[in-house]
Amino acid sequence: MTSKKRTINCLIFLSVAVFFLLQVLNAQTYRWQMAVRYKMNVDFFVEKNQYRAIQALTIINNSPDTLNEIFYHLYFNAFQPGSDMDIKSLLIEDPDPRVGSRISRLKEDEMGYIKPGKISQKGKKLDFEIEGTIMKVNLQNPILPHDSSIITMKYSAQVPLQIRRTGRNNKEGVDYSMAQWYPKLCNYDEQGWHTDPYIGREFYAPWGDYDVQIRIAGNYIVAAT
């Protein structure tokens, strides 16, 4: 084999090798997921079916992006007349029989809500806006890739009469069924923030750790899972 032919064969081999190497690298998508740590202190007032809480949320940004804003789910806001869930249940032909027109008939002391008060980051008050079950918070200090920040929030809430699996006074005799009862960080992934409003199903969220203290009347038994 001549030197010229050997050179051509080597170039062909290298080209094929580079092609397959690029295919392998493209197939190995870089994956990451956010992480959170919730620390919550809750005072529960059973005579009013309400509670107040302070939440310190550590957000660990494992993404390659800088976060200038964050979003929360406020699920209890769905259980009040005029909510997206209420309107959907009134308009569709085959509503969930557990819901139907029940939300539209809730009185002020029967509806659910989560009302954030002061939200802060490193002692600085943050601006926020709420639309239905979603809250947007503008950060004073952006959270850089692979960095973390603590967001502190004070809020008040009211437990609605049970609609679906959340609420008070269910058929099994449980006074409070508290699913999705706290301001919950929306998930951020390769597609961005997932800020779907709550109209029937909950949405996935970052995995995390929870440190929760609940003060409630002594004749109550608190269970968690």
Side-chain angles (χ1 to χ4, degrees):
M1 183 180 293
T2 64
S3 176
K4 182 177 181 180
K5 287 184 178 180
R6 283 198 297 269
T7 301
I8 293 174
N9 287 339
C10 287
L11 289 174
I12 293 174
F13 174 80
L14 288 174
S15 298
V16 172
V18 169
F19 172 79
F20 280 106
L21 178 62
L22 290 174
Q23 296 303 307
V24 171
L25 291 176
N26 286 335
Q28 303 301 313
T29 304
Y30 171 63
R31 298 304 298 269
W32 47 267
Q33 67 178 19
M34 304 293 284
V36 291
R37 290 197 294 267
Y38 289 93
K39 185 177 179 64
M40 295 184 274
N41 287 277
V42 183
D43 289 299
F44 206 108
F45 309 103
V46 295
E47 68 280 0
K48 295 182 178 180
N49 303 302
Q50 298 174 355
Y51 54 98
R52 290 198 304 263
I54 299 176
Q55 173 181 285
L57 171 61
T58 301
I59 301 173
I60 302 165
N61 183 12
N62 291 324
S63 82
D65 307 320
T66 297
L67 303 179
N68 295 292
E69 56 193 20
I70 57 177
F71 295 84
Y72 289 82
H73 292 288
L74 306 177
Y75 285 106
F76 273 14
N77 288 0
F79 304 110
Q80 48 189 259
S83 70
D84 288 341
M85 184 186 290
D86 180 34
I87 294 172
K88 175 189 175 184
S89 298
L90 292 173
L91 295 180
I92 62 175
E93 294 183 359
D94 57 343
D96 186 332
R98 295 170 297 177
V99 182
S101 61
R102 292 178 64 197
I103 296 178
S104 64
R105 299 196 304 266
L106 291 176
K107 301 175 183 177
E108 187 172 350
D109 61 347
E110 297 174 336
M111 67 178 63
Y113 61 74
I114 296 177
K115 295 180 179 179
K118 182 180 179 181
I119 303 177
S120 59
Q121 178 189 30
K122 294 184 178 180
K124 297 179 180 178
K125 187 177 179 180
L126 301 180
D127 295 327
F128 62 90
E129 53 187 274
I130 297 173
E131 183 174 343
T133 61
I134 297 297
M135 176 172 66
K136 175 185 175 182
V137 179
N138 299 309
L139 299 177
Q140 290 273 8
N141 302 99
I143 308 176
L144 301 177
H146 311 297
D147 200 358
S148 65
S149 187
I150 299 175
I151 308 300
T152 302
M153 181 191 313
K154 294 181 179 180
Y155 68 94
S156 60
Q158 180 169 281
V159 187
L161 291 180
Q162 189 184 30
I163 306 288
R164 300 169 62 89
R165 65 189 180 98
T166 292
R168 62 187 195 252
N169 305 326
N170 69 16
K171 294 180 180 179
E172 290 75 30
V174 177
D175 284 2
Y176 299 103
S177 301
M178 304 287 285
Q180 316 290 0
W181 55 269
Y182 57 93
K184 184 176 181 180
L185 188 72
C186 298
N187 205 21
Y188 183 83
D189 63 16
E190 293 90 344
Q191 298 176 352
W193 286 103
H194 290 257
T195 59
D196 308 84
Y198 182 35
I199 56 174
R201 292 290 184 270
E202 295 112 71
F203 301 92
Y204 82 120
W207 289 96
D209 300 317
Y210 293 79
D211 180 356
V212 184
Q213 296 185 17
I214 300 175
R215 286 170 289 277
I216 194 171
N219 58 323
Y220 280 80
I221 298 175
V222 179
T225 177

